[in-house]
Amino acid sequence: DALGRAVGSGRSTIVKLEKGDLPLTDAWAKRLAPPLGVRPDQLLPAPQIPVIGYVGAGARVYPYEDSLGAGETMDRPPMTQGDLFAVEVRGDSMLPLAEEGWHIVYTAEATVDENMVMNRVCVVQLDDGDGSMLVKRVTRGTRPQHYHLLSLNAPTIEDARLRCAAVVKAIVPR
């Protein structure tokens, strides 16, 4: 009752908000935050990003069959911006960078702009006929538009051509 009075609303509205029967909008969060002694963003659910596949043996990315329609999501990591995707780590192919069950979050913006991807860990898609996707550090190759793809626990792939690369923005423990 006190919270309802503090925000100028009735008890039934507060109960509906608590139960999720009424959506907690930005406007409601701004009204409720002061009497609760929190910031409005602390009341809102964490934005979600889609988990579209997994990274397994050889640090290869395996998209889920219905990748964007699978419905699996995770909380957006703090301090990340823009459109993001995530893949789940399966097995030990990403050690010591990431463990089983962790998520690798990367930008949805795939590019071949060297200024964006050089010397960074990326989800890369090879221009190799079958479009293999891997998680690797991208460095300059010996020929123009060819790249060395480094791993912490596997041999370097030398002079690979990339279809595209997306920068890893976060690695999130489970």
Side-chain angles (χ1 to χ4, degrees), residues 22-67:
L22 184 64
L24 182 60
T25 62
D26 286 340
W28 271 111
K30 288 177 183 172
R31 286 175 65 184
L32 293 167
L36 294 173
V38 298
R39 296 186 321 267
D41 65 297
Q42 292 175 297
L43 296 175
L44 296 169
Q48 299 291 295
I49 58 172
V51 178
I52 64 167
Y54 65 94
V55 58
R60 184 167 176 167
V61 174
Y62 299 90
Y64 292 140
E65 288 297 318
D66 56 351
S67 60

Side-chain angles (χ1 to χ4, degrees), residues 10-28:
R11 176 172 164 65
S12 64
T13 301
I14 301 301
V15 169
K16 286 179 185 177
L17 285 166
E18 289 173 342
K19 292 169 98 178
D21 294 338
L22 184 64
L24 182 60
T25 62
D26 286 340
W28 271 111

